[in-house]
Structures are given as structure tokens and as C-alpha cells.
Amino acid sequence: MWQILLNRFKQGYRTIPYPKSVPSFPKRYRGRPVDVKGEVNLGELLFNEEAPKGDFTYSQDHRLAVSKKEDLILKDNEIKLARALDEKTKRLFGRSLKLRQVCAGGCSGCEAELQVMNINVFDLGRFGIQFVASPRHADGLVITGPVTKNMELALKKTYEATPHPKIVIAVGSCAISGGPFRGSSEIRHGADQVVPVDLYIPGCPPHPLTILDGLLRVLDKLDKH
Amino acid sequence: MSFEKFYVHNGQSWPLEQVPVMDEASFRREILKSCETGGRLVNLFGYHAQDKNLYLCAVIGMDQEGKLSVFAARMPGGQVHFESLTPVLPQAHLFEREIAEQFGIIIQGHPWLKPVRSHQDYSFYEIRSEETHEVAVGPVHAGIIEPGHFRFQCHGEEILNLEIQLGWQHRGVEKMMAEISLERAMLVAESIAGDTVIGHGTAFCNIIEALSDTEVPLQAEMIRIIALELERLANHVGDMGALSTDIGFLPVSAYFGRLRGEFLNLSMELCGSRFGRSLCRPGGVLFSLGPEMIEDFRRRLLKAQKDFMEIAELFFSTSSVLSRLESTGRISRQTAEELGLVGPAARSCDLERDVRTDYAFGMFRFQHIPVSTVVSGDVYARALIRRLEAQRSIEFLLEALDQIPSGELLKKPSALKPSHMALSLVEGWRGEIAHVAITDAQSRLMRYKVKDPSFNNWIALSLAVRGAQISDFPLCNKSFNLSYAGHDL
Ligand code: SF4
């Protein structure tokens, strides 16, 4: 018992003050592309080191979430980040958003980053957002993976089991475009080929703060902090 | 018919024609004989050669001697039948099911030839009795985890049988690898299992390097294994956190969870990705580990080491934790051996199997990490093995940071050799990762075979919960923490 208390004391308080302040990312972190020549599709980009080929450079900016598929195409340094939900939906979900996660293929990298949002460092719960065990308890779905043929039916059923109104969030380049598996005959190419999507969060996988930024953005919670 | 054994090294390539080819009956006999004399099935897979014939190929590992032998059988045309090895060699069970599914071969006498990744025409095993009941979960689970379907046949709380149906994550990885450019294939290899990016990434690089006779700079080899051990640490520590959550020991679960992040963040310092993406590339690595970063890593690792020791001590000295873990989900050494388990799942059953030692690759040829084993084979053993391995990995990293060779980071590989086969084994954090590639006469990859350690180990979970209480399942499941994506490909 004393050991546990002593350890608790030693471990201290670990939750980061995001979004009040944004922790700095390491130099090699690959965030939003800037200095774009031509265009970059954030939904297809795997954020790998060799991708730019002189057409853009990676910045340290972790904010990447957009509301519309066409906003994924970056033409210059501007990005049209996701907008807040309309007033009515915001009234419903603004203080409490329950999400059901569906892994529909992919490599599990995106799940790992979603999982991490529950730990004390990010502490998703303090924003009123929670992952729940059943679609029946959920206000929305978070989908990862390109939607494999084997998962298509399960995804549709989960979507149908979620009561209206609901929001759907596609996390990771797989769920947006098929990601690294683009071209495979075993997959659909992204969640929006199966269900309508309201928020796209690019990355392979997106950093937990990228996901958090997206969620807080649609709930209009960013400037309140 | 006898033939001369053909031995290969880990990370080597050889002309396809050197592989001894025999008829099906001798092939079968050879596998059984090798496995009776200390061998283990590292891989068993089919491929279509350019002569349009179907071949089966076996890779046998003689772990004690550190030798790998390779041989193949040419299958006759038309509908192919193959007499199942499984009744006498249980570790062949999933390999045979996979071959049946991929090539339409009829495996005669296989005890349960059900699909591996396809879901067509399949009805689940069922016990019909008024006293038993069935519990089915998945593919969409309650937590944030990958999809799989679990069917329990229960008598009261007791599990009589657990059937695990996978394949939901099937993305067609092997097929893709032979269709896309090597640049893209590298990115797919990094996405075979998202928590094993370095493991599978290194295996893929080794294959390409072997097929192109590329000598990887020592500095790059060193950075790769540093990243590999960081990956092991992040996952082992994360798993201990997950076990704590399941037991309900929440403070410790939170500390382990945070600590896992420290290792992921080191990986992000190194290559910009918390999971090691973009680090390994054929011919070397894309990022250096300079003096400043080495100092920073050392400082952070020492801190993490201290934290880890304290938290692990707290975990393992709490009697309620021990009583929950001990004797739960036990696998005997004999079962582990028969099933061909690998990685920590095998080492926690007192089987000394570790690719880092048995078939040393990369920098492990010069640097050694002692193999840990635990005897009891239960959840406790699988937790303890992670603690031991994590400790050794941190110690290893602290030493390795002092010994990073200088020189180049990357040596661009030249073209692949035509009609060659290559093998690469890597000890990922879950165990033995095995990649095999075959090039055609035009030097293109014509067959790429991936085996994630989960492929060997999933069956162990079914057996671990047999006779246990339903409530033991989550704990047993976490104690293996197997990959769905790596299995489903
Ligand atoms: S987007 Fe990348 S990290 Fe996420 S599931 Fe797909 S391959 Fe894995």
C-alpha cells in the first residue's frame, strides 16, 4: 500500500496541458507539408521521409484534420482545417461525445495511437470524449483501415447500429484512401466508399495530437482553452 | 531417395536451382525426419515457378545448431493432393491450411482444414448439448483493438473450446509485394503490423540486400538493432500495462502506459515516427544517431530504466497481482514445442528460441543479448519474460549507444539477381519474423512470403484458455498480445 502511494507521488502529474500549449515536436517529425509545388493529397500521403521528392517539405505543424475530401488536396501553404459542427449537432455532442471505434483493416498503427489518447498523458476524457463499447451507446464512429472486403459488412452493420444523428471520423491514410495498400484487390479504398465521412484525419498513423486537434476542432473546443 | 542437405544462412540469397527438389513423398519424409532430429518448421509455403509448376518449399531451422535447411517439392499438374503432416507434426497445421487456401491443394487427413483468411462457406464448430452454451464476440470488439472473431463453447463458466476466426484484416500483402515497385513494397512491409514496423521493415530490407549482394554499412546495422530493441521495449512495457489494466491495478497500468510512450518518443526523435517508420530502407537507414542525440538517448534511457525497475517491482511484488497471474492459461513446454511457438510465448515455456542468438543477423553477429527463459508457461511467465527482456534490452541499448560505428548510413542496392531465393529471419518483439522472396528470370519479385510470429502463436491462445474460466480470457489474450494484421496480411 505504502509502496503504491510512494510510487504515485514519485510518478507525479503527467497530463500535458494541450491545447493550452502545444508540446514541441522533435526535429525529424514530419507534419503538414509546406512549400508545396503543384499539389499534395494529404489523404494519400504516407508521411514517409522520401515522399517529398522536392515538391514540398514537411513542417512541424501537427494540425491536419479536414472536413471535406477536397480539402485534403493541398495546393499551397494554406490548409482548410476542419470546421466545427453546426450549432444543433454541437449542442448535442459538444459536452459529451461517445465514439465507437471500428478497425476495418490496416496495420493497427492507427489503433495504437487512438488507444494512447486514453492514457494520462493525453487524457481524452477531460474533453468529454470517450470511446464506448457498443455502437448503440455511441454518437459516432472512428474508422481506421482501408475497409477490407472481409470487414465491409461488419462496418455497415456497426454504422447502422449507431443511432442518428451520428458523426463518422476516418483516421489514417488507409481509412481515407487505402493508404499503403492502395491498388490491392482485397480492399475498398477508404471508409467513405462504404459510409459517409464527416472528418478526415490524415497520417500514417496520425500523431495522437493530430487526432486530438481534429476532434476538438469539430467540437469547437479549441479556442475555449 | 536421399539427397544432400542444402543449408543457408539467415539473410542470404541463393540461385533457385540450388534448392533440392524432390517428389512429394520424399518431401514429406524429409520434413518429418528433420523435425524428429531437432528441427522446427520455420516456413512451409507454396509458389508457382516460371515453368508454371506448383512447388512447396520448406525451411527447417535446427535451432540448437543455428542451421537452416531449405528444400522443395514439385507438385504434379491437375488437382493436387498432399498427405497432411499435421497428425504427426502439429506445428504444420496452419501452414497446411494456408497452402490449401492459397493454392487449392487438397490436404488429405488434416484434422481441421478450415479457411485461414477467407470467410466463405464456413460454419463454426459447435457443441450441441442442452448443458453447454456459446459465446461469440467480434469482429467489432468493445475496445480499440483489431478485428477477430472468437467463439467460446462453454459449460457454465468453463471454456470447453475457443475457436478463433481471423482474416478480417486481410489486405492482400503478399500478392501486392509481387506487383508493386520496391519503393512501395518497403512501405507495405512497414505496414504488415503497425507495432512491428522495424521488425518487418528490417526483414524486408535484409531480403532486398541479400538479393542484390548489398553490404549494409555497420553504422546502419547498429541503428537498426537499436530501433528494434526500442520497439521491443515499447511493446513489452505496453503489454505489462495492458495486463495491469485487466487485473484492475490501475496506477501501475498508467505508469507503464506513460513509460511505453517514452520509448515511442525516442523512436520519433530518431526517425520522426513513433513507430519507426521511414528508418529502415534497403541498403541502410535514412537517419543518423549523432553525438548529441546519443547523449539525450542515454539520459532518457537511464531515467526510463529507473522508472521501469520501480514500476515492475511494484507490479511483481503485489500478492494480488501474482495470485491472478499464476497458473492462469498455462501452456506446457511439450505443447509449446509441438505447436512450434516462437518468441516470448515460447521462452515463457522454457524453450530457448531466439533468432537474435540462434540465427544472429545484422549487428547481433557481433553484439549479444542473453536469452531469457521462464519455466512456468502461464500468464505470470509471459509477464515475467517481458520484464526480463525489457531489462536486457535497456542494458543492451545503453551499451550500444557507446559503440555506434562511424561511416555511411546507406548504400544503394543494385538490381536484384534473377531466379534467386532469399531468406530473412528477425526476432521481432513477438518472436520470429520470417520473410522469403523469390525472383523470376527478369529479376522481379515473383513470390513474397511473410510469416509473422503471430502465425505460429495464435493457436496457443486457444489452448491456454481451454478448461479455464471465461473471465480468464482477456488476461490470457493480453498475455500473448498477438497481431491480427500480421496474421491476416
Ligand atoms: S494509415 Fe498507416 S498506420 Fe494507419 S492503419 Fe494504415 S498503414 Fe497502419
Side-chain angles (χ1 to χ4, degrees):
Chain A
M1 181 67 206
W2 291 114
Q3 262 309 316
I4 299 179
L5 288 176
L6 181 67
N7 249 283
R8 175 69 196 84
F9 178 71
K10 277 197 199 160
Q11 289 293 324
Y13 183 80
R14 299 286 185 166
T15 307
I16 54 172
Y18 189 87
K20 238 187 245 157
S21 69
V22 180
S24 71
F25 284 86
K27 272 213 288 303
R28 290 171 180 173
Y29 167 72
R30 295 177 288 277
R32 176 168 65 89
V34 291
D35 298 329
V36 180
K37 303 188 191 76
E39 52 180 51
V40 187
N41 186 339
L42 285 185
E44 290 180 3
L45 185 64
L46 299 179
F47 292 81
N48 51 318
E49 182 70 11
E50 62 274 65
K53 298 204 169 74
D55 297 336
F56 63 88
T57 45
Y58 289 113
S59 71
Q60 301 282 111
D61 189 355
H62 68 287
R63 297 166 308 158
L64 296 163
V66 302
S67 303
K68 284 198 265 157
K69 203 156 194 186
E70 54 266 30
D71 296 340
L72 289 165
I73 317 270
L74 288 194
K75 293 223 174 68
D76 41 46
N77 281 344
E78 287 310 302
I79 178 167
K80 222 163 130 198
L81 291 170
R83 54 188 152 56
L85 297 166
D86 61 63
E87 274 309 314
K88 190 168 151 245
T89 337
K90 211 164 66 191
R91 259 206 317 279
L92 278 170
F93 298 153
R95 285 157 182 262
S96 154
L97 178 67
K98 308 275 181 207
L99 297 169
R100 169 67 256 174
Q101 200 266 333
V102 183
C103 171
C107 77
S108 85
C110 285
E111 283 81 70
E113 293 302 46
L114 284 165
Q115 239 167 28
V116 120
M117 312 206 24
N118 284 325
I119 71 164
N120 49 3
V121 178
F122 300 100
D123 191 13
L124 194 60
R126 73 197 145 121
F127 303 105
I129 308 171
Q130 196 194 344
F131 286 101
V132 292
S134 163
R136 305 254 185 236
H137 304 158
D139 305 310
L141 298 181
V142 173
I143 303 170
T144 56
V147 189
T148 54
K149 282 186 177 164
N150 287 343
M151 273 307 288
E152 188 168 347
L153 181 64
L155 173 59
K156 276 189 189 149
K157 283 189 177 173
T158 310
Y159 178 79
E160 278 155 22
T162 311
H164 272 290
K166 51 191 157 193
I167 66 171
V168 177
I169 303 165
V171 170
S173 72
C174 276
I176 302 178
S177 69
F181 309 108
R182 239 163 354 107
S184 167
S185 54
E186 298 295 328
I187 58 163
R188 305 295 306 268
H189 286 71
D192 63 6
Q193 298 203 340
V194 184
V195 295
V197 170
D198 306 288
L199 178 66
Y200 297 88
I201 306 184
C204 181
H207 191 277
L209 288 181
T210 305
I211 306 175
L212 194 51
D213 167 78
L215 294 176
L216 297 185
R217 219 161 266 285
V218 283
L219 295 181
D220 207 9
K221 287 203 167 178
L222 273 181
D223 42 12
K224 292 204 186 99
H225 279 270
Chain B
M1 195 175 82
S2 86
F3 75 102
E4 207 171 316
K5 286 213 189 234
F6 179 61
Y7 290 112
V8 300
H9 296 296
N10 183 10
Q12 190 197 337
S13 71
W14 56 89
L16 199 48
E17 68 208 25
Q18 282 185 5
V19 177
V21 176
M22 51 198 81
D23 63 35
E24 182 205 314
S26 328
F27 179 72
R28 203 175 166 278
R29 261 201 314 277
E30 187 55 35
I31 293 180
L32 293 177
K33 206 169 79 204
S34 312
C35 290
E36 269 164 25
T37 50
R40 178 175 59 82
L41 258 189
V42 169
N43 225 331
L44 176 64
F45 62 96
Y47 65 91
H48 282 289
Q50 272 184 311
D51 61 10
K52 300 271 183 283
N53 281 312
L54 173 63
Y55 290 77
L56 295 187
C57 179
V59 181
I60 305 282
M62 315 293 279
D63 299 338
Q64 298 304 320
E65 302 159 47
K67 279 179 166 173
L68 293 154
S69 79
V70 177
F71 48 94
R74 187 186 299 112
M75 295 286 133
Q79 180 63 61
V80 184
H81 296 259
F82 182 78
E83 195 191 329
S84 175
L85 295 158
T86 306
V88 262
L89 188 69
Q91 54 177 303
H93 75 110
L94 195 54
F95 292 108
E96 289 190 330
R97 282 170 50 195
E98 185 184 50
I99 290 170
E101 183 170 281
Q102 289 183 341
F103 298 95
I105 295 184
I106 296 175
I107 310 271
Q108 279 163 331
H110 190 290
W112 199 2
L113 201 60
K114 58 180 227 161
V116 181
R117 301 177 180 108
S118 126
H119 293 166
Q120 269 145 18
D121 312 322
Y122 179 68
S123 43
F124 291 92
Y125 173 76
E126 207 184 325
I127 298 175
R128 286 206 193 93
S129 154
E130 288 199 345
E131 289 187 32
T132 62
H133 63 105
E134 185 180 88
V135 180
V137 286
V140 179
H141 295 282
I144 307 178
I145 46 170
E146 300 179 74
H149 182 79
F150 298 86
R151 272 203 195 207
F152 301 88
Q153 307 292 327
C154 302
H155 181 246
E157 278 295 303
E158 185 191 342
I159 302 171
L160 298 178
N161 186 57
L162 161 62
E163 184 178 355
I164 305 174
Q165 183 61 39
L166 300 173
W168 309 89
Q169 299 265 63
H170 180 52
R171 297 142 283 160
V173 166
E174 288 183 357
K175 204 159 124 244
M176 277 189 90
M177 296 296 261
E179 289 167 354
I180 56 183
S181 68
L182 292 182
E183 289 73 47
R184 274 198 68 198
M186 177 74 238
L187 302 176
V188 172
E190 286 185 326
S191 311
I192 289 170
D195 47 25
T196 316
V197 174
I198 300 290
H200 280 287
T202 304
F204 175 80
C205 289
N206 289 347
I207 288 281
I208 301 303
E209 288 146 9
L211 285 171
S212 59
D213 286 334
T214 307
E215 188 82 35
V216 182
L218 285 180
Q219 177 170 208
E221 294 273 35
M222 192 64 155
I223 293 175
R224 277 185 192 171
I225 64 169
I226 288 176
L228 186 71
E229 293 312 308
L230 279 177
E231 184 167 273
R232 192 179 323 279
L233 274 165
N235 283 296
H236 278 6
V237 170
D239 283 350
M240 292 178 71
L243 283 171
S244 318
T245 313
D246 267 7
I247 305 171
F249 197 4
L250 298 183
V252 168
S253 142
Y255 307 153
F256 277 133
R258 200 250 323 148
L259 200 53
R260 165 179 176 266
E262 305 287 340
F263 297 116
L264 296 179
N265 288 342
L266 283 179
S267 162
M268 180 152 77
E269 281 303 332
L270 178 58
C271 66
S273 151
R274 297 186 359 124
F275 299 96
R277 287 172 183 268
S278 283
L279 179 67
C280 301
R281 289 295 178 262
V285 293
L286 291 187
F287 296 95
S288 63
L289 189 46
E292 226 172 276
M293 200 180 272
I294 290 177
E295 265 330 295
D296 180 46
F297 270 43
R298 187 193 322 283
R299 197 177 42 75
R300 288 161 73 169
L301 279 171
L302 282 169
K303 177 87 184 54
Q305 184 179 38
K306 189 164 160 283
D307 280 354
F308 179 74
M309 300 288 232
E310 282 180 15
I311 303 166
E313 187 50 37
L314 187 56
F315 181 84
F316 281 102
S317 63
T318 305
S319 52
S320 54
V321 169
L322 297 183
S323 70
R324 185 72 187 91
L325 302 186
E326 278 169 358
S327 304
T328 306
R330 188 187 293 272
I331 298 279
S332 71
R333 185 179 198 276
Q334 189 194 348
T335 307
E337 194 150 26
E338 281 174 4
L339 294 175
L341 302 191
V342 295
R347 293 193 285 275
S348 59
C349 298
D350 201 21
L351 285 181
E352 210 174 309
R353 284 182 184 166
D354 191 323
V355 181
R356 290 174 294 177
T357 318
D358 302 341
Y359 309 102
F361 54 96
M363 219 53 184
F364 288 125
R365 286 167 299 171
F366 315 112
Q367 315 263 340
H368 201 64
I369 299 191
V371 183
S372 317
T373 52
V374 185
V375 285
S376 57
D378 47 10
V379 175
Y380 168 76
R382 291 188 286 277
L384 184 58
I385 194 79
R386 287 178 165 93
R387 177 194 194 177
L388 299 174
E389 294 191 11
Q391 275 169 341
R392 297 213 152 143
S393 289
I394 301 188
E395 285 160 15
F396 171 81
L397 284 175
L398 286 167
E399 273 178 36
L401 287 176
D402 282 331
Q403 300 164 7
I404 300 177
S406 54
E408 284 173 294
L409 284 175
L410 188 84
K411 198 153 160 257
K412 275 251 167 251
S414 43
L416 305 190
K417 293 181 285 187
S419 307
H420 270 63
M421 190 186 254
L423 167 72
S424 167
L425 305 183
V426 170
E427 185 73 22
W429 65 274
R430 281 194 186 91
E432 177 188 85
I433 295 168
H435 288 202
V436 179
I438 306 174
T439 55
D440 63 12
Q442 286 74 40
S443 296
R444 290 174 306 219
L445 290 179
M446 74 177 188
R447 173 77 168 119
Y448 200 92
K449 179 81 204 87
V450 177
K451 191 207 70 182
D452 185 88
S454 307
F455 192 84
N456 301 85
N457 289 354
W458 268 110
I459 182 79
L461 174 58
S462 290
L463 294 183
V465 299
R466 192 169 283 178
Q469 303 274 301
I470 271 214
S471 53
D472 286 337
F473 171 72
L475 200 58
C476 287
N477 189 22
K478 296 267 168 60
S479 76
F480 286 100
N481 190 12
L482 299 170
S483 171
Y484 302 69
H487 170 279
D488 293 350
L489 297 176

